[in-house]
Amino acid sequence: MKTKLFLAVVTLGAVTFFTSCNKVPVGDIDLANAAVDSAKAVDAEHYAPEAFTALQDTLNAALQLVEEQKSKMFGNYTVVKEKLAYVASQASVVKEQAVVRKAEMKTESDTLFAELKSLIDENKTLISKAPKGKEGKAALEAIQAEISEIETTVNDATVLYNSENYFATVDKLKVAKEKAISIKEELSNAISKTKK
Amino acid sequence: MQNNKRFLLLLFFLCFLFTACGFIFYSFWPRPPVSLINKARETISEIKSVKSDVYCADIYKLALENYEKAMFLWKAENKKFAFSRSFDSVTYYSQLAIEKGNMAKNRSLELSTGLKWYLRNQIDSVKGQKDFFHAIFYRLPLPESIQRQNTKGFLLLHEAEIAYDNKKYKLSEEKLVSAKESISYTYSYAFNLLNDYFLNSQQWQDMARATIEKSYKKKCTAIVVDKFSRSCYVYSAGKLKYSFIVELGPNWMADKRMKGDKATPEGFYKVTKKIAKPNTRYHKALLINYPNDKDLEQFNRAKQQKIIPENAHIGNLIEIHGHGNQGADWTNGCVALKNEDMDIVYRESIVGTPVTIVGSLKPINEILLMPEME
């Protein structure tokens, strides 16, 4: 009887020993994957690229560690759980970073759109004030063509803006703004020249 | 006592069995190539950081696929009973992933360095073309579509530069290709226009030379207008005395054919009348004898050939006058000078002063070699 009891205790102990640390943290893995996906959903790949790549790397390393532990005789998932928890928490940080950066870029795009609109309007007003001589408008026509092209660029930028590609929008608008400023200077100089 | 002894023996036997089994299990337990897979993962991460997915997407894809395959096989093996697991294929695909990854890394570094160098040169070259365009062709009467195409090219060029500065070399390359396409198109259009314009180059130089010789021989004042360089030269006894900047009609590249074409005529003329205020709106003016006999002949021929409308008028009242310096070619075909300059030209001229208007005093090759033009 004593022997049977002993054997039962030993077996139970062995089973507990083998199974206690051997559970794959499926819930933690799902949580970490979902967290990374949620960061991806807010375009973290574009708006926080370095942080997102690091996050993805950490997740990959954690998933690899899961398999490593699975391959072991006595898998221990304590470190894996820590890593997955870190991924989940870091994903929120990356997500926040991306959201902030995206909002910044959106605001910058909005500002540039407004600035360009005002610059284009200003340039159009300046064109009407610019010296035309008798009736020739050749030089002004060239400038008008440039303004038209800037307007086309603004339209292209609007398409990019609507598809939430704010980096490309800002790049396009910055270039157009610079050109609009140079036209404004050119026109202002021509006008001031005739006023002298 | 006997029972205790038997119990201890059993305990000892169980411990021994357990240890022996553990040892056998441990010895024969299949081990995955962890360090190799780790290295494969690190390689994939590394090649992404050098933008292999952009520069050599095909090799990058292969490396990634092999890594994913290794991971997939590892997972599959882990699902099997421990002693029936085999990690050979995992090792194989991990090694392949590392191999392809290293290949992708080297190729990306090579390509990005090469592309960076290529882009810098190309951007500088297109910028040079842009400067050239502005210096030589800026004042050519180009159609609106060409002007817009040109502006578009420059905007794209600037975008290419921004992408280059942000180390987005592939994007920069894309923008540069579009920029070059637009700029080259406008450049060749303008170049052809210029080539056509300079067809009479030799004749213009001969005309100018003849006028200067006349001034020298007759010890008189002569005026030569160079339309391309927007210059008016005043010679006295064959020597250059003054040179002024002028403005012309918007269609200055054409030789005047008829009234309203806003072209400045080319040919030998002379001052027929000196006009001062209040008889002119343009400060002071020198009326020239446009149309001369040659102009009339050309006009009639063009009418016969139906190049110009039947009811076209040849036009008249072509003058050298003031009110210039407006920063544009604005006249109806006249030559406009700054009022101060016009005072001098007016003072130096008399009725009969020869006025020769030519397309250019310099041949096209000299023009194209000029680094800058006013």
Side-chain angles (χ1 to χ4, degrees), chain B residues 6-72:
Chain B
R6 202 180 288 164
F7 178 72
L8 279 172
L9 202 65
L10 181 68
L11 187 67
F12 176 75
F13 175 73
L14 277 174
C15 283
F16 175 77
L17 192 71
F18 189 75
T19 314
C21 281
F23 183 75
I24 292 165
F25 263 56
Y26 185 76
S27 305
F28 290 96
W29 194 274
R31 285 176 184 77
V34 177
S35 59
L36 208 60
I37 302 179
N38 267 332
K39 200 176 173 196
R41 181 179 51 77
E42 281 163 12
T43 308
I44 298 292
S45 174
E46 201 182 342
I47 61 173
K48 184 114 199 266
S49 71
V50 293
K51 294 193 166 48
S52 293
D53 53 335
V54 177
Y55 294 113
C56 48
D58 45 349
I59 313 176
Y60 171 81
K61 211 177 151 192
L62 268 177
L64 190 66
E65 275 172 8
N66 282 312
Y67 170 71
E68 281 170 354
K69 215 165 188 174
M71 282 301 289
F72 174 80

Side-chain angles (χ1 to χ4, degrees), chain B residues 19 121 148 156 200 243 255-256 273 276 280 287 292 299 360:
Chain B
T19 314
N121 279 326
R148 284 189 66 165
L156 283 165
N200 295 326
S243 69
D255 186 8
K256 192 163 188 66
K273 195 177 180 183
T280 178
L287 181 70
N292 60 20
F299 174 77
S360 175

Side-chain angles (χ1 to χ4, degrees), chain A residues 7-41:
Chain A
L7 280 175
V9 169
V10 166
T11 312
L12 194 70
V15 167
T16 313
F17 179 76
F18 280 118
T19 54
S20 61
C21 308
N22 207 14
K23 277 181 191 158
V24 178
V26 180
D28 300 57
I29 294 172
D30 289 347
L31 208 69
N33 271 322
V36 172
D37 284 346
S38 72
K40 206 173 183 177

Side-chain angles (χ1 to χ4, degrees), chain B residues 341-357:
Chain B
D341 298 342
M342 189 59 214
D343 287 337
I344 298 168
V345 177
Y346 189 87
R347 188 188 69 212
E348 293 288 319
S349 308
I350 55 166
V351 170
T353 294
V355 176
T356 301
I357 305 174

Side-chain angles (χ1 to χ4, degrees), chain B residues 297-350:
Chain B
E297 193 188 313
Q298 274 175 354
F299 174 77
N300 290 328
R301 199 166 48 235
K303 226 175 189 181
Q304 272 172 6
Q305 290 169 351
K306 299 192 174 171
I307 297 169
I308 54 174
E310 231 170 80
N311 61 351
H313 188 276
I314 192 165
N316 57 6
L317 298 176
I318 296 294
E319 298 172 340
I320 296 173
H321 59 58
H323 284 193
N325 196 31
Q326 298 200 18
D329 289 312
W330 56 273
T331 73
N332 278 337
C334 295
V335 176
L337 285 88
K338 249 184 348 190
N339 288 351
E340 307 91 275
D341 298 342
M342 189 59 214
D343 287 337
I344 298 168
V345 177
Y346 189 87
R347 188 188 69 212
E348 293 288 319
S349 308
I350 55 166

